Amino acid sequence: MDRREIAALLALIGRLDPRTIRTDQGEARDQLAQWHELLGDVPMATPHSWDALAAARQHIRTSPYQILPADIARPWASYRRDRLSRHSDPTPSVDPDDQAAWAAELAGTRRAVATGIAQPSQARAITTGRDGGDPRLEARLREIGSCIPPAARAALAPYRPARAAREAAVAQGLTDALSVRCAWCLAQPGEPCRRRRIGPDGGARGTAPCATHPSRLDLAAAQQPEQVQQPAAA
């Protein structure tokens, strides 16, 4: 804020809280100089949600103490931290071999986000999971059957024996126990069962992978006929 904006801010604060008004000309000049020195790097407002006047109103409305420059600077610092915490650096558009230009563009982007000139750049979300993902990707996976080519799957089999055995069993029409949630250890579909480690106080200390619980096998076997009949009904 420049001196004119600081004067406008002090005028609003004085109207809302007369305790801040300085009637002596010298005191008013000193107050303006002090606030300008402490808030010179804080903008009056930004295109994205920051407003120094709103911060002043909030303090006067919620605090019995006379407002100080710190009561504007603290919300501004919090605003900057929040925006940077939600920002993921996008890939710069410059030549990656030009280290100086690369660093300068990253710094400029972060500065624009922190000061409210640009919106934070969100990291691209994971496209699969229990909550669903990109419908286009899911449709493509249904069309091709798997995101892993058969040759790559065969090459990975020696390094994933449990997964390979499970896939072989499913291919033979056997029960896939991991297709359902385990009611005993609460393992989600696709996750192996886990053994709970109980401490002396009776609390859980941690978990470790273990053999599939019998109750999960029974539940998967009970649901298998339904899964087989679904394509025929469609």
Side-chain angles (χ1 to χ4, degrees):
M1 287 182 278
D2 55 27
R3 294 179 67 88
R4 180 181 56 81
E5 291 172 324
I6 292 291
L9 178 62
L10 286 172
L12 171 71
I13 292 173
R15 182 169 60 84
L16 299 178
D17 184 1
R19 293 176 299 176
T20 62
I21 296 176
R22 300 294 182 266
T23 56
D24 181 80
Q25 185 174 0
E27 292 181 355
R29 184 170 54 250
D30 292 342
Q31 182 189 44
L32 177 60
Q34 178 198 37
W35 280 62
H36 181 251
E37 181 176 353
L38 296 174
L39 300 179
D41 60 341
V42 178
M44 177 66 81
T46 68
H48 303 291
S49 305
W50 166 255
D51 188 345
L53 298 177
R57 291 192 192 95
Q58 177 66 14
H59 175 84
I60 296 171
R61 182 168 58 245
T62 59
S63 174
Y65 300 104
Q66 183 174 325
I67 190 170
L68 298 173
D71 298 317
I72 305 294
R74 275 196 302 267
W76 169 245
S78 177
Y79 172 88
R80 289 170 56 93
R81 286 193 303 270
D82 173 69
R83 293 180 65 81
L84 287 176
S85 70
R86 294 185 286 110
H87 176 67
S88 298
D89 291 321
T91 303
S93 59
V94 299
D95 184 356
D97 292 329
D98 189 344
Q99 185 175 359
W102 185 277
E105 183 170 334
L106 281 178
T109 302
R110 292 177 184 176
R111 190 180 308 110
V113 170
T115 55
I117 298 174
Q119 287 284 52
S121 177
Q122 301 291 331
R124 298 187 65 179
I126 297 175
T127 54
T128 59
R130 302 189 191 101
D131 297 332
D134 187 344
R136 294 173 299 177
L137 177 59
E138 294 175 354
R140 179 60 176 163
L141 286 177
R142 286 194 300 269
E143 179 183 347
I144 64 178
S146 172
C147 59
I148 303 178
R153 188 181 298 277
L156 290 172
Y159 306 98
R160 306 188 304 172
R163 179 64 178 265
R166 177 190 171 199
E167 292 173 351
V170 172
Q172 296 174 9
L174 300 179
T175 301
D176 179 12
L178 270 63
S179 65
V180 298
R181 178 176 178 270
C182 181
W184 178 260
C185 66
L186 307 182
Q188 297 297 324
E191 297 180 355
C193 287
R194 306 187 73 85
R195 178 176 59 254
R196 298 176 184 176
R197 297 173 181 172
I198 306 300
D201 58 352
R205 297 295 186 185
T207 60
C210 67
T212 304
H213 290 115
S215 61
R216 190 176 193 181
L217 288 169
D218 294 341
L219 179 59
Q223 294 186 3
Q224 186 180 20
E226 300 176 4
Q227 296 172 357
V228 172
Q229 293 173 7
Q230 285 177 0

